[in-house]
């Protein structure tokens, strides 16, 4: 899913968009709960692969259009070693004619379909609240009602605002109680949107009512966040998905033809234009090459002179400075008897020591030598590599050794 997601909410028979301007091109369509079939599915963990088939069977039993081929969207809410709980929904195509007309009028192609009330639910959801609670979100002339317990939706239903609002809410709570795997005691009711006061007064007997007012922008942001998540609800019917793929194919075909025509025109221009222009360009480049060749030689000679001066001006790598630095780091009992220094390569010397441990300490000290402050680990090391040959026993119990200190490693 692209980062720049365009959300279009179907509300009051029209599309309200959020994201990249107007609802043109590909969008994520968000619908009221009343426009879809929904159910909560719980299966054992061993039967997890049958989750979608079980959801489809339950949704078909609720479908008033038996000839419709439903494409269920399934979102797993909770999963344990014993069971899997999921929220499932589907959009009957026979009840979506007005939605299709609104999409055609806006020239919009939905790439997925979500529920607006689930975006609002995400805005008010509190993961630290453990008791079951009822969420009511106003949509047109009904409330999208969800009974939530922890991360699970125990039951969901669109309840019209009417005299039967309290009775339908009680039926929803009884359905949720039958699905709950623990003691069911409703802790609170959270109401969002323009819910009639008489409807809230009717359900206050079940639990205390709290008002929450997430803005449309917050809800749209929540829907966009859900669209980016893998495994979130997607109710796009199979026929709509095929139509989307066909539209994408036609768009790619038009672009491909346009590119092919442009390439053909460019090839024709090259075939007829290059021979004419090539002669002028060749003569011009030859003249530039002759002019630049002399300047290049001058610059190259100057660079070589500068490098030579810099090389012999670097006293930090001079023979005396290196000899002094090496002598300062000689442990007690170590003597040097042969010294060979090359400015380009490094220093090589031989010596003797009272014991082998002093030789190894000498090698480590040479390897740790740095220009400037030796405590600064970011400072450049004097020797890129220190190669020790020996130590080996000599006459009188002394240890002979050879050390080759290189300014650059073999690979460099």
């Amino acid at each position: 899913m692209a980062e720049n997601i365009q959300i279009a909410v179907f509300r009051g028979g029209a599309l309200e968009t959020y994201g990249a301007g107007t609802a043109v091109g590909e969008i994520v369509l968000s619908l009221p709960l009343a426009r879809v079939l929904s159910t909560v599915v719980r299966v054992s963990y061993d039967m997890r692969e049958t989750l979608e088939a079980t959801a489809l069977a339950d949704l078909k039993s609720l479908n008033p259009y038996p000839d419709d081929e439903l494409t269920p969207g399934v979102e797993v809410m909770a999963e344990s070693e014993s069971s899997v709980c999921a929220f499932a929904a589907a959009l009957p195509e026979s009840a979506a004619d007005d939605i299709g007309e609104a999409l055609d009028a806006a020239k919009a192609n939905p790439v997925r379909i979500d529920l607006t009330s689930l975006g609002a639910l995400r805005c008010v959801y509190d993961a630290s609240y453990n008791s079951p609670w009822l969420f009511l979100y106003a949509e047109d002339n009904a409330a999208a009602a969800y009974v939530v317990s922890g991360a699970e939706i125990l039951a969901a239903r669109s309840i019209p605002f009417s005299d039967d609002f309290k009775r339908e809410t009680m039926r929803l709570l009884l359905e949720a109680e039958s699905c709950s795997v623990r003691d069911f005691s409703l802790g609170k009711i959270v109401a969002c949107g323009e819910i009639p006061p008489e409807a809230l007064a009717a359900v206050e007997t079940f639990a205390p009512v709290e008002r929450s007012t997430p803005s449309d922008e917050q809800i749209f942001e929540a829907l966009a966040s859900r669209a980016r998540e893998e495994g979130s609800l997607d109710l796009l019917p199979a026929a709509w998905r095929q139509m989307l793929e066909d539209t994408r194919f036609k768009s790619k075909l038009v672009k491909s033809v346009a590119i092919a025509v442009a390439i053909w025109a460019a090839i024709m221009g090259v075939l007829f234009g290059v021979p004419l222009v090539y002669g002028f360009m060749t003569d011009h480049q030859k003249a530039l090459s002759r002019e630049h060749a002399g300047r290049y030689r001058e610059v190259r000679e100057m660079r070589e002179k500068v490098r030579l001066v810099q090389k012999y001006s670097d006293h930090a790598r001079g023979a005396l400075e290196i000899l002094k630095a090496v002598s300062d780091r000689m442990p007690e009992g170590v003597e040097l008897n042969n010294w060979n220094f090359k400015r380009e390569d490094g220093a090589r010397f031989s010596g003797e020591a009272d014991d082998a441990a002093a030789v190894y300490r000498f090698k480590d000290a040479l390897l740790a030598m740095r220009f400037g402050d030796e405590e600064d680990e970011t400072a450049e090391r004097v020797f890129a590599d220190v190669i020790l040959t020996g130590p080996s026993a000599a006459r009188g119990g002394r240890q002979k050794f050879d050390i080759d200190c290189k300014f650059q490693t073999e690979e460099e």
Side-chain angles (χ1 to χ4, degrees), residues 38 49 58 70 135 159 184 187 196 211 220-221 245 247 256 265 268 274 278 285 308 335 345 397 412:
S38 63
E49 296 180 356
D58 292 348
L70 298 179
F135 174 65
I159 304 177
F184 184 87
R211 278 282 190 176
F220 289 157
E221 288 286 359
E245 293 177 357
T247 303
S256 299
M268 293 298 102
V274 166
Y278 183 73
Q285 291 300 325
L308 187 62
E335 297 178 357
D345 299 331
E412 293 174 330

Side-chain angles (χ1 to χ4, degrees), residues 2-56:
E3 287 297 323
N4 189 15
I5 296 175
Q6 185 175 207
I7 304 293
V9 175
F10 186 77
R11 183 182 295 167
L15 292 179
E16 297 181 13
T17 61
Y18 168 79
T22 58
V24 177
E26 296 185 353
I27 61 168
V28 173
L29 177 63
S30 181
L31 299 178
L33 180 62
R35 301 305 301 264
V36 304
L37 307 171
S38 63
T39 185
V40 176
V41 182
R42 187 185 298 274
V43 298
S44 63
Y45 187 83
D46 296 338
M47 302 295 290
R48 193 181 194 282
E49 296 180 356
T50 66
L51 190 63
E52 187 171 340
T54 304
L56 178 60

